[in-house]
Amino acid sequence: MNMLTRSERLKIAIKGYEFLSPVAIESLGLTVLGKKKFDPWLPEERRSGVIFSHVPKSAGTSIVKALFDSKSRHVPILRYAAYDKTLFENSFKFTVVRNPWARIFSAYNYLYGVVGKGGKYPDWRWADYYLSGTPSFESFVLKLQDISYQKKVMKYIRFRSQCDWISIPGRGLVMDYVGRFERVDEDFEEACHIGKITPHALPHLRKGTGSEYRNAYSSKMAGVVAELYKKDIQTFDYHF
């Protein structure tokens, strides 16, 4: 089994605190660690005054490619506010969210698909360590009832609550526009209109399995996921 390095385990732990820190503490941390190294803005984001917060497994790769012609990365919106408050407040901020039952199904399929491939990347090593014992989506979801395992999985970026990515402690959601994965083309067009962004054709990168996620669930499994993502479900009014 490929193991996560000590450095990778530390990064995951630090990332967990980043979602929970007040802006002032996050700003201090960035200063201590070296702000330039942790600059959240892509050059085109800074130039255009547009922030796209990429929630993992929610079509963000395609949007970042369309808007900024860049590789995507996952940065909590909190870091933008802590890094440069003025630029943050003056930027148009938007994101895309996804049905939590579909999103966790997609994340599991993506990560389990790299189990046993040699651990070349951190995602692969994480999957080897945490998913090799759950060879089916059902076994994975039911194992999430184990609180110890659940805490470890839910801290990982692919499974973390969507609200965590686009909220600031003490302020809540700070997006100017929230689109939906389920109607991403239309909502991306609307975001461009609201944000006064030059319209772009949206490529469809990293397509999913095409499977109907509901077929993968029993009623018990659906209930487990509903509890895990209660905040996302309530905030964005999603239903199984």
Side-chain angles (χ1 to χ4, degrees):
M1 180 185 296
N2 292 289
M3 298 289 290
L4 290 166
T5 66
R6 180 181 296 180
S7 174
E8 287 164 348
R9 293 196 300 271
L10 180 61
K11 285 180 180 178
I12 291 172
I14 291 173
K15 191 82 168 179
Y17 286 112
E18 184 176 27
F19 289 95
L20 306 174
S21 301
V23 171
I25 298 299
E26 174 74 1
S27 182
L28 177 61
L30 291 174
T31 300
V32 171
L33 294 171
K35 287 188 71 172
K36 188 174 182 180
K37 182 179 179 182
F38 294 94
D39 187 347
W41 269 274
L42 294 169
E44 188 61 18
E45 280 184 314
R46 189 178 289 278
R47 187 201 66 77
S48 65
V50 173
I51 296 172
F52 173 70
S53 185
H54 181 183
V55 174
K57 305 307 295 178
S58 297
T61 300
S62 299
I63 291 173
V64 172
K65 179 65 176 176
L67 284 182
F68 310 125
D69 193 25
S70 174
K71 290 183 178 179
S72 186
R73 71 279 182 276
H74 305 292
V75 181
I77 198 66
L78 170 63
R79 194 189 303 173
Y80 286 91
Y83 193 93
D84 188 326
K85 180 181 178 181
T86 300
L87 183 57
F88 171 79
E89 296 295 349
N90 291 334
S91 295
F92 173 70
K93 301 169 280 291
F94 80 105
T95 191
V96 171
V97 296
R98 186 176 186 178
N99 183 301
W101 289 277
R103 179 173 172 257
I104 191 175
F105 180 58
S106 175
Y108 170 83
N109 284 327
Y110 162 69
L111 287 167
Y112 191 76
V114 301
V115 168
K117 287 195 172 182
K120 184 178 180 181
Y121 304 107
D123 255 358
W124 295 16
R125 290 191 289 277
W126 187 94
D128 267 356
Y129 190 75
Y130 286 103
L131 300 184
S132 59
T134 56
S136 68
F137 182 60
E138 180 180 20
S139 63
F140 169 66
V141 171
L142 295 181
K143 190 173 180 179
L144 286 171
Q145 296 174 102
D146 179 323
I147 299 302
S148 176
Y149 182 71
Q150 178 190 125
K151 286 181 177 179
K152 294 180 175 67
V153 170
M154 297 302 289
K155 285 180 180 178
Y156 198 57
I157 64 170
R158 307 287 178 185
F159 296 106
R160 195 168 195 107
S161 164
Q162 296 174 86
C163 286
D164 287 352
W165 290 96
I166 55 179
S167 301
I168 291 178
R171 288 182 59 180
L173 296 180
V174 292
M175 295 292 104
D176 298 309
Y177 182 81
V178 177
R180 303 279 179 142
F181 177 93
E182 295 77 18
R183 53 176 191 248
V184 65
D185 291 296
E186 296 88 342
D187 283 4
F188 178 61
E189 184 178 345
E190 184 174 359
C192 288
H193 174 72
I194 294 171
K196 298 180 172 58
I197 303 166
T198 302
H200 295 74
L202 188 60
H204 291 274
L205 307 175
R206 296 189 181 180
K207 294 182 179 179
T209 62
S211 301
E212 171 51 62
Y213 73 88
R214 292 181 185 87
N215 295 335
Y217 282 90
S218 65
S219 58
K220 182 175 183 179
M221 292 164 64
V224 171
V225 172
E227 188 62 29
L228 291 175
Y229 291 107
K230 183 186 299 184
K231 187 174 182 180
D232 287 352
I233 291 165
Q234 292 176 345
T235 300
F236 306 117
D237 193 28
Y238 272 113
H239 305 275
F240 179 70

